[in-house]
Amino acid sequence: MSDIPAAPAATTAARRILDWTESGVPALTGLPGGPALIPPGAAATVAREHTARIAALTGGRVRLDGARLLTERAAFTGFTRGGTRSAGRACRLLPTADGWAAVSCARPDDPVLLAALICRDPVDDPWPGVAQWLGTHTGAELAERAELLGVAAGPLAPVSAKPPQPLRFRPVDGLRVVDFSALWAGPLCAHLLGLAGARVIKVETPTRPDGARRGEPGFYRLLHGGHESVVLDPGDPAQRRALRDLVASADIVIEASRPRALARFGLDAQAFADAGGTWVSITAHGRAANRIGFGDDIAATAGLVARTPDDTPLFVGDAIADPLTGLTAAVLAMSAPADGTGRLWDISMAAVVAATLDPGATATVPIDGAHIVAPTHREATGSAPDSGRDTTAVLAELGVRLG
């Protein structure tokens, strides 16, 4: 086992600008019809440092451009910059009584939850009512109600927490990864581990499949190609036991759930780590917080926004907290304590974003259209498994039979 390669020293503003312009992010940053903007901070540079580390850790087996990964989903979907609306148009930046806030409406139940947040009856279009309510309430009031209701929303209040740092490299070739995560951050981590030679088993429940299955199929196939799929119902005693047996067989577990949800499944992250495993926990604001969030609102509330001349905040990229966190998580999963013990990685997406913003961050600047690089994506290899395709075979390996 060898040391994780050190990250490069603080980069110059010129290097950061170059990394941003080559990432595709400026093409998704700015007002619709306005100039592309270079965001503040060093997220593109950090992303490239992560993939450089992964290349070194895998002996060149996995060579990727981290900066380009930040916009890979938009290359599949065709998303464009929306200014105060996210590239995917599910999140908005809106003024509050004392500043600005990011509010997401991405899930089928969110219109009803937003109606409850502003104490009104549900309507087809919740945005006018939400905007009106925010104009007379503070960001703190929004944060309190959003946490109680499970709404992905909060004030733009940059955080200063730093994400965990990698330890010593350990190869993951041949290791078993059980992936409970969904959407982008966790699956990207699992995808990178799979490219490095790990066996990845995706786990879903019958009532909560990965929402990304309803998204762009090419992007889903890219992140899940070559993986196996298991579906188990933790509400059924036999399947709950099978779920625990599957987790016990893993070397690495990836999940993006709040601890109380894991407890309902009968899973204990700390016990798994104490037994020598690596548990990667990805949450919006850390395991101790009860807030939820998605890539766009997390990045904005953590402070990663561009600004117009009149200081209006604008979204940066497409759900940029997701790929940035996925890259971070993969590097951490490829490291372990030198004494061979396990590790519980508590990865706050907000902290990951915040760590890319520092006093030396470049200001928001427009760039000439000739320098804009459009989002690009890699070609998917292999097919993504249908939900539950491998349940019987995987459980048979463990000596488990259902029914």
PDB file of all heavy atoms in Angstrom, residues 197-225:
ATOM      1  N   GLY A 197     -11.546  -1.738 -11.683  1.00  0.00           N
ATOM      2  CA  GLY A 197     -11.509  -3.182 -11.526  1.00  0.00           C
ATOM      3  C   GLY A 197     -12.390  -3.762 -10.446  1.00  0.00           C
ATOM      4  O   GLY A 197     -12.412  -4.981 -10.251  1.00  0.00           O
ATOM      5  N   ALA A 198     -13.134  -2.923  -9.725  1.00  0.00           N
ATOM      6  CA  ALA A 198     -14.018  -3.441  -8.690  1.00  0.00           C
ATOM      7  C   ALA A 198     -15.271  -4.055  -9.311  1.00  0.00           C
ATOM      8  O   ALA A 198     -15.678  -3.686 -10.421  1.00  0.00           O
ATOM      9  CB  ALA A 198     -14.407  -2.328  -7.719  1.00  0.00           C
ATOM     10  N   ARG A 199     -15.886  -4.962  -8.591  1.00  0.00           N
ATOM     11  CA  ARG A 199     -17.176  -5.527  -8.993  1.00  0.00           C
ATOM     12  C   ARG A 199     -18.261  -4.704  -8.324  1.00  0.00           C
ATOM     13  O   ARG A 199     -18.296  -4.603  -7.092  1.00  0.00           O
ATOM     14  CB  ARG A 199     -17.272  -6.979  -8.554  1.00  0.00           C
ATOM     15  CG  ARG A 199     -18.626  -7.621  -8.856  1.00  0.00           C
ATOM     16  CD  ARG A 199     -18.704  -9.007  -8.247  1.00  0.00           C
ATOM     17  NE  ARG A 199     -19.992  -9.631  -8.488  1.00  0.00           N
ATOM     18  CZ  ARG A 199     -20.363 -10.808  -7.972  1.00  0.00           C
ATOM     19  NH1 ARG A 199     -19.527 -11.481  -7.185  1.00  0.00           N
ATOM     20  NH2 ARG A 199     -21.556 -11.312  -8.244  1.00  0.00           N
ATOM     21  N   VAL A 200     -19.149  -4.112  -9.098  1.00  0.00           N
ATOM     22  CA  VAL A 200     -20.159  -3.202  -8.557  1.00  0.00           C
ATOM     23  C   VAL A 200     -21.543  -3.849  -8.623  1.00  0.00           C
ATOM     24  O   VAL A 200     -21.991  -4.278  -9.692  1.00  0.00           O
ATOM     25  CB  VAL A 200     -20.180  -1.868  -9.320  1.00  0.00           C
ATOM     26  CG1 VAL A 200     -21.251  -0.940  -8.742  1.00  0.00           C
ATOM     27  CG2 VAL A 200     -18.806  -1.198  -9.250  1.00  0.00           C
ATOM     28  N   ILE A 201     -22.207  -3.907  -7.475  1.00  0.00           N
ATOM     29  CA  ILE A 201     -23.559  -4.441  -7.382  1.00  0.00           C
ATOM     30  C   ILE A 201     -24.474  -3.310  -6.923  1.00  0.00           C
ATOM     31  O   ILE A 201     -24.355  -2.811  -5.803  1.00  0.00           O
ATOM     32  CB  ILE A 201     -23.626  -5.613  -6.380  1.00  0.00           C
ATOM     33  CG1 ILE A 201     -22.682  -6.739  -6.817  1.00  0.00           C
ATOM     34  CG2 ILE A 201     -25.059  -6.134  -6.267  1.00  0.00           C
ATOM     35  CD1 ILE A 201     -22.517  -7.844  -5.779  1.00  0.00           C
ATOM     36  N   LYS A 202     -25.376  -2.905  -7.789  1.00  0.00           N
ATOM     37  CA  LYS A 202     -26.309  -1.831  -7.476  1.00  0.00           C
ATOM     38  C   LYS A 202     -27.529  -2.414  -6.766  1.00  0.00           C
ATOM     39  O   LYS A 202     -28.093  -3.421  -7.222  1.00  0.00           O
ATOM     40  CB  LYS A 202     -26.756  -1.116  -8.753  1.00  0.00           C
ATOM     41  CG  LYS A 202     -27.665   0.096  -8.513  1.00  0.00           C
ATOM     42  CD  LYS A 202     -27.984   0.802  -9.822  1.00  0.00           C
ATOM     43  CE  LYS A 202     -28.814   2.056  -9.587  1.00  0.00           C
ATOM     44  NZ  LYS A 202     -28.061   3.089  -8.860  1.00  0.00           N
ATOM     45  N   VAL A 203     -27.935  -1.773  -5.669  1.00  0.00           N
ATOM     46  CA  VAL A 203     -29.069  -2.262  -4.885  1.00  0.00           C
ATOM     47  C   VAL A 203     -30.164  -1.203  -4.872  1.00  0.00           C
ATOM     48  O   VAL A 203     -29.926  -0.037  -4.557  1.00  0.00           O
ATOM     49  CB  VAL A 203     -28.656  -2.599  -3.440  1.00  0.00           C
ATOM     50  CG1 VAL A 203     -29.861  -3.119  -2.657  1.00  0.00           C
ATOM     51  CG2 VAL A 203     -27.524  -3.617  -3.426  1.00  0.00           C
ATOM     52  N   GLU A 204     -31.384  -1.633  -5.223  1.00  0.00           N
ATOM     53  CA  GLU A 204     -32.553  -0.759  -5.169  1.00  0.00           C
ATOM     54  C   GLU A 204     -33.662  -1.483  -4.420  1.00  0.00           C
ATOM     55  O   GLU A 204     -33.598  -2.697  -4.214  1.00  0.00           O
ATOM     56  CB  GLU A 204     -33.024  -0.400  -6.586  1.00  0.00           C
ATOM     57  CG  GLU A 204     -31.986   0.355  -7.408  1.00  0.00           C
ATOM     58  CD  GLU A 204     -32.327   0.375  -8.886  1.00  0.00           C
ATOM     59  OE1 GLU A 204     -32.044  -0.633  -9.565  1.00  0.00           O
ATOM     60  OE2 GLU A 204     -32.874   1.390  -9.342  1.00  0.00           O
ATOM     61  N   THR A 205     -34.676  -0.738  -4.010  1.00  0.00           N
ATOM     62  CA  THR A 205     -35.851  -1.346  -3.403  1.00  0.00           C
ATOM     63  C   THR A 205     -36.993  -1.293  -4.421  1.00  0.00           C
ATOM     64  O   THR A 205     -36.969  -0.485  -5.351  1.00  0.00           O
ATOM     65  CB  THR A 205     -36.266  -0.610  -2.118  1.00  0.00           C
ATOM     66  OG1 THR A 205     -36.723   0.705  -2.451  1.00  0.00           O
ATOM     67  CG2 THR A 205     -35.094  -0.519  -1.144  1.00  0.00           C
ATOM     68  N   PRO A 206     -38.006  -2.147  -4.250  1.00  0.00           N
ATOM     69  CA  PRO A 206     -39.104  -2.156  -5.228  1.00  0.00           C
ATOM     70  C   PRO A 206     -39.837  -0.828  -5.325  1.00  0.00           C
ATOM     71  O   PRO A 206     -40.312  -0.448  -6.394  1.00  0.00           O
ATOM     72  CB  PRO A 206     -40.032  -3.259  -4.697  1.00  0.00           C
ATOM     73  CG  PRO A 206     -39.169  -4.125  -3.844  1.00  0.00           C
ATOM     74  CD  PRO A 206     -38.165  -3.202  -3.230  1.00  0.00           C
ATOM     75  N   THR A 207     -39.934  -0.112  -4.213  1.00  0.00           N
ATOM     76  CA  THR A 207     -40.706   1.129  -4.216  1.00  0.00           C
ATOM     77  C   THR A 207     -39.867   2.367  -4.511  1.00  0.00           C
ATOM     78  O   THR A 207     -40.412   3.428  -4.783  1.00  0.00           O
ATOM     79  CB  THR A 207     -41.391   1.329  -2.843  1.00  0.00           C
ATOM     80  OG1 THR A 207     -40.386   1.334  -1.809  1.00  0.00           O
ATOM     81  CG2 THR A 207     -42.392   0.220  -2.584  1.00  0.00           C
ATOM     82  N   ARG A 208     -38.527   2.240  -4.454  1.00  0.00           N
ATOM     83  CA  ARG A 208     -37.673   3.397  -4.692  1.00  0.00           C
ATOM     84  C   ARG A 208     -36.517   3.038  -5.620  1.00  0.00           C
ATOM     85  O   ARG A 208     -35.356   2.965  -5.199  1.00  0.00           O
ATOM     86  CB  ARG A 208     -37.142   3.963  -3.379  1.00  0.00           C
ATOM     87  CG  ARG A 208     -38.226   4.512  -2.476  1.00  0.00           C
ATOM     88  CD  ARG A 208     -37.650   5.408  -1.404  1.00  0.00           C
ATOM     89  NE  ARG A 208     -37.073   6.629  -1.968  1.00  0.00           N
ATOM     90  CZ  ARG A 208     -36.531   7.599  -1.241  1.00  0.00           C
ATOM     91  NH1 ARG A 208     -36.468   7.487   0.061  1.00  0.00           N
ATOM     92  NH2 ARG A 208     -36.041   8.670  -1.818  1.00  0.00           N
ATOM     93  N   PRO A 209     -36.819   2.828  -6.903  1.00  0.00           N
ATOM     94  CA  PRO A 209     -35.724   2.608  -7.851  1.00  0.00           C
ATOM     95  C   PRO A 209     -34.951   3.905  -8.057  1.00  0.00           C
ATOM     96  O   PRO A 209     -35.439   4.991  -7.708  1.00  0.00           O
ATOM     97  CB  PRO A 209     -36.456   2.175  -9.126  1.00  0.00           C
ATOM     98  CG  PRO A 209     -37.799   2.824  -9.018  1.00  0.00           C
ATOM     99  CD  PRO A 209     -38.136   2.802  -7.548  1.00  0.00           C
ATOM    100  N   ASP A 210     -33.780   3.790  -8.598  1.00  0.00           N
ATOM    101  CA  ASP A 210     -32.972   4.970  -8.899  1.00  0.00           C
ATOM    102  C   ASP A 210     -33.742   5.882  -9.846  1.00  0.00           C
ATOM    103  O   ASP A 210     -34.121   5.475 -10.953  1.00  0.00           O
ATOM    104  CB  ASP A 210     -31.650   4.525  -9.538  1.00  0.00           C
ATOM    105  CG  ASP A 210     -30.676   5.678  -9.763  1.00  0.00           C
ATOM    106  OD1 ASP A 210     -31.083   6.847  -9.661  1.00  0.00           O
ATOM    107  OD2 ASP A 210     -29.500   5.387 -10.070  1.00  0.00           O
ATOM    108  N   GLY A 211     -33.981   7.141  -9.430  1.00  0.00           N
ATOM    109  CA  GLY A 211     -34.709   8.082 -10.274  1.00  0.00           C
ATOM    110  C   GLY A 211     -34.015   8.350 -11.592  1.00  0.00           C
ATOM    111  O   GLY A 211     -34.666   8.763 -12.567  1.00  0.00           O
ATOM    112  N   ALA A 212     -32.702   8.107 -11.669  1.00  0.00           N
ATOM    113  CA  ALA A 212     -31.978   8.328 -12.920  1.00  0.00           C
ATOM    114  C   ALA A 212     -32.408   7.352 -14.011  1.00  0.00           C
ATOM    115  O   ALA A 212     -32.150   7.591 -15.189  1.00  0.00           O
ATOM    116  CB  ALA A 212     -30.475   8.219 -12.689  1.00  0.00           C
ATOM    117  N   ARG A 213     -33.062   6.260 -13.624  1.00  0.00           N
ATOM    118  CA  ARG A 213     -33.568   5.336 -14.651  1.00  0.00           C
ATOM    119  C   ARG A 213     -34.600   6.016 -15.542  1.00  0.00           C
ATOM    120  O   ARG A 213     -34.816   5.603 -16.677  1.00  0.00           O
ATOM    121  CB  ARG A 213     -34.197   4.106 -13.992  1.00  0.00           C
ATOM    122  CG  ARG A 213     -33.195   3.135 -13.374  1.00  0.00           C
ATOM    123  CD  ARG A 213     -33.883   1.882 -12.877  1.00  0.00           C
ATOM    124  NE  ARG A 213     -32.965   0.912 -12.296  1.00  0.00           N
ATOM    125  CZ  ARG A 213     -32.280   0.009 -12.982  1.00  0.00           C
ATOM    126  NH1 ARG A 213     -32.412  -0.055 -14.294  1.00  0.00           N
ATOM    127  NH2 ARG A 213     -31.464  -0.829 -12.366  1.00  0.00           N
ATOM    128  N   ARG A 214     -35.247   7.070 -15.018  1.00  0.00           N
ATOM    129  CA  ARG A 214     -36.237   7.803 -15.812  1.00  0.00           C
ATOM    130  C   ARG A 214     -35.596   8.938 -16.606  1.00  0.00           C
ATOM    131  O   ARG A 214     -36.287   9.648 -17.334  1.00  0.00           O
ATOM    132  CB  ARG A 214     -37.320   8.379 -14.894  1.00  0.00           C
ATOM    133  CG  ARG A 214     -38.055   7.355 -14.048  1.00  0.00           C
ATOM    134  CD  ARG A 214     -39.261   7.984 -13.345  1.00  0.00           C
ATOM    135  NE  ARG A 214     -38.853   9.085 -12.481  1.00  0.00           N
ATOM    136  CZ  ARG A 214     -38.520   8.955 -11.200  1.00  0.00           C
ATOM    137  NH1 ARG A 214     -38.522   7.755 -10.639  1.00  0.00           N
ATOM    138  NH2 ARG A 214     -38.172  10.003 -10.477  1.00  0.00           N
ATOM    139  N   GLY A 215     -34.305   9.114 -16.447  1.00  0.00           N
ATOM    140  CA  GLY A 215     -33.612  10.204 -17.111  1.00  0.00           C
ATOM    141  C   GLY A 215     -33.051   9.799 -18.464  1.00  0.00           C
ATOM    142  O   GLY A 215     -33.554   8.875 -19.117  1.00  0.00           O
ATOM    143  N   GLU A 216     -31.999  10.478 -18.879  1.00  0.00           N
ATOM    144  CA  GLU A 216     -31.394  10.232 -20.185  1.00  0.00           C
ATOM    145  C   GLU A 216     -30.768   8.836 -20.198  1.00  0.00           C
ATOM    146  O   GLU A 216     -29.869   8.540 -19.410  1.00  0.00           O
ATOM    147  CB  GLU A 216     -30.320  11.303 -20.453  1.00  0.00           C
ATOM    148  CG  GLU A 216     -30.160  11.673 -21.913  1.00  0.00           C
ATOM    149  CD  GLU A 216     -29.570  10.552 -22.744  1.00  0.00           C
ATOM    150  OE1 GLU A 216     -28.703   9.807 -22.223  1.00  0.00           O
ATOM    151  OE2 GLU A 216     -29.954  10.409 -23.918  1.00  0.00           O
ATOM    152  N   PRO A 217     -31.223   7.938 -21.071  1.00  0.00           N
ATOM    153  CA  PRO A 217     -30.767   6.545 -21.015  1.00  0.00           C
ATOM    154  C   PRO A 217     -29.278   6.372 -21.298  1.00  0.00           C
ATOM    155  O   PRO A 217     -28.637   5.494 -20.736  1.00  0.00           O
ATOM    156  CB  PRO A 217     -31.636   5.839 -22.058  1.00  0.00           C
ATOM    157  CG  PRO A 217     -32.145   6.926 -22.955  1.00  0.00           C
ATOM    158  CD  PRO A 217     -32.284   8.126 -22.084  1.00  0.00           C
ATOM    159  N   GLY A 218     -28.727   7.196 -22.196  1.00  0.00           N
ATOM    160  CA  GLY A 218     -27.308   7.061 -22.501  1.00  0.00           C
ATOM    161  C   GLY A 218     -26.437   7.386 -21.306  1.00  0.00           C
ATOM    162  O   GLY A 218     -25.418   6.727 -21.062  1.00  0.00           O
ATOM    163  N   PHE A 219     -26.835   8.392 -20.551  1.00  0.00           N
ATOM    164  CA  PHE A 219     -26.073   8.775 -19.368  1.00  0.00           C
ATOM    165  C   PHE A 219     -26.180   7.691 -18.299  1.00  0.00           C
ATOM    166  O   PHE A 219     -25.186   7.347 -17.655  1.00  0.00           O
ATOM    167  CB  PHE A 219     -26.588  10.115 -18.837  1.00  0.00           C
ATOM    168  CG  PHE A 219     -25.820  10.640 -17.656  1.00  0.00           C
ATOM    169  CD1 PHE A 219     -24.469  10.897 -17.757  1.00  0.00           C
ATOM    170  CD2 PHE A 219     -26.462  10.881 -16.446  1.00  0.00           C
ATOM    171  CE1 PHE A 219     -23.748  11.378 -16.662  1.00  0.00           C
ATOM    172  CE2 PHE A 219     -25.752  11.368 -15.361  1.00  0.00           C
ATOM    173  CZ  PHE A 219     -24.396  11.620 -15.462  1.00  0.00           C
ATOM    174  N   TYR A 220     -27.362   7.145 -18.116  1.00  0.00           N
ATOM    175  CA  TYR A 220     -27.530   6.073 -17.144  1.00  0.00           C
ATOM    176  C   TYR A 220     -26.671   4.864 -17.541  1.00  0.00           C
ATOM    177  O   TYR A 220     -26.011   4.245 -16.699  1.00  0.00           O
ATOM    178  CB  TYR A 220     -28.998   5.664 -17.038  1.00  0.00           C
ATOM    179  CG  TYR A 220     -29.252   4.682 -15.922  1.00  0.00           C
ATOM    180  CD1 TYR A 220     -29.484   5.131 -14.625  1.00  0.00           C
ATOM    181  CD2 TYR A 220     -29.226   3.317 -16.152  1.00  0.00           C
ATOM    182  CE1 TYR A 220     -29.690   4.236 -13.590  1.00  0.00           C
ATOM    183  CE2 TYR A 220     -29.421   2.408 -15.121  1.00  0.00           C
ATOM    184  CZ  TYR A 220     -29.656   2.869 -13.842  1.00  0.00           C
ATOM    185  OH  TYR A 220     -29.845   1.968 -12.815  1.00  0.00           O
ATOM    186  N   ARG A 221     -26.688   4.547 -18.820  1.00  0.00           N
ATOM    187  CA  ARG A 221     -25.893   3.405 -19.292  1.00  0.00           C
ATOM    188  C   ARG A 221     -24.400   3.648 -19.084  1.00  0.00           C
ATOM    189  O   ARG A 221     -23.653   2.730 -18.730  1.00  0.00           O
ATOM    190  CB  ARG A 221     -26.189   3.146 -20.766  1.00  0.00           C
ATOM    191  CG  ARG A 221     -25.533   1.873 -21.311  1.00  0.00           C
ATOM    192  CD  ARG A 221     -26.079   1.491 -22.672  1.00  0.00           C
ATOM    193  NE  ARG A 221     -25.790   2.512 -23.685  1.00  0.00           N
ATOM    194  CZ  ARG A 221     -26.693   3.337 -24.201  1.00  0.00           C
ATOM    195  NH1 ARG A 221     -27.953   3.268 -23.772  1.00  0.00           N
ATOM    196  NH2 ARG A 221     -26.363   4.214 -25.118  1.00  0.00           N
ATOM    197  N   LEU A 222     -23.953   4.891 -19.277  1.00  0.00           N
ATOM    198  CA  LEU A 222     -22.537   5.212 -19.079  1.00  0.00           C
ATOM    199  C   LEU A 222     -22.111   4.917 -17.646  1.00  0.00           C
ATOM    200  O   LEU A 222     -21.059   4.313 -17.409  1.00  0.00           O
ATOM    201  CB  LEU A 222     -22.298   6.697 -19.398  1.00  0.00           C
ATOM    202  CG  LEU A 222     -20.888   7.215 -19.106  1.00  0.00           C
ATOM    203  CD1 LEU A 222     -19.884   6.599 -20.073  1.00  0.00           C
ATOM    204  CD2 LEU A 222     -20.843   8.735 -19.201  1.00  0.00           C
ATOM    205  N   LEU A 223     -22.927   5.351 -16.675  1.00  0.00           N
ATOM    206  CA  LEU A 223     -22.546   5.192 -15.277  1.00  0.00           C
ATOM    207  C   LEU A 223     -22.754   3.778 -14.740  1.00  0.00           C
ATOM    208  O   LEU A 223     -22.129   3.404 -13.746  1.00  0.00           O
ATOM    209  CB  LEU A 223     -23.335   6.172 -14.400  1.00  0.00           C
ATOM    210  CG  LEU A 223     -23.050   7.663 -14.599  1.00  0.00           C
ATOM    211  CD1 LEU A 223     -23.811   8.476 -13.560  1.00  0.00           C
ATOM    212  CD2 LEU A 223     -21.559   7.963 -14.525  1.00  0.00           C
ATOM    213  N   HIS A 224     -23.622   2.998 -15.372  1.00  0.00           N
ATOM    214  CA  HIS A 224     -23.967   1.683 -14.816  1.00  0.00           C
ATOM    215  C   HIS A 224     -23.614   0.505 -15.717  1.00  0.00           C
ATOM    216  O   HIS A 224     -23.915  -0.641 -15.375  1.00  0.00           O
ATOM    217  CB  HIS A 224     -25.463   1.641 -14.485  1.00  0.00           C
ATOM    218  CG  HIS A 224     -25.862   2.624 -13.430  1.00  0.00           C
ATOM    219  ND1 HIS A 224     -26.212   3.925 -13.721  1.00  0.00           N
ATOM    220  CD2 HIS A 224     -25.949   2.516 -12.084  1.00  0.00           C
ATOM    221  CE1 HIS A 224     -26.507   4.560 -12.606  1.00  0.00           C
ATOM    222  NE2 HIS A 224     -26.356   3.740 -11.598  1.00  0.00           N
ATOM    223  N   GLY A 225     -23.004   0.774 -16.851  1.00  0.00           N
ATOM    224  CA  GLY A 225     -22.626  -0.314 -17.740  1.00  0.00           C
ATOM    225  C   GLY A 225     -21.674  -1.296 -17.063  1.00  0.00           C
ATOM    226  O   GLY A 225     -20.707  -0.906 -16.416  1.00  0.00           O
TER     227      GLY A 225
END
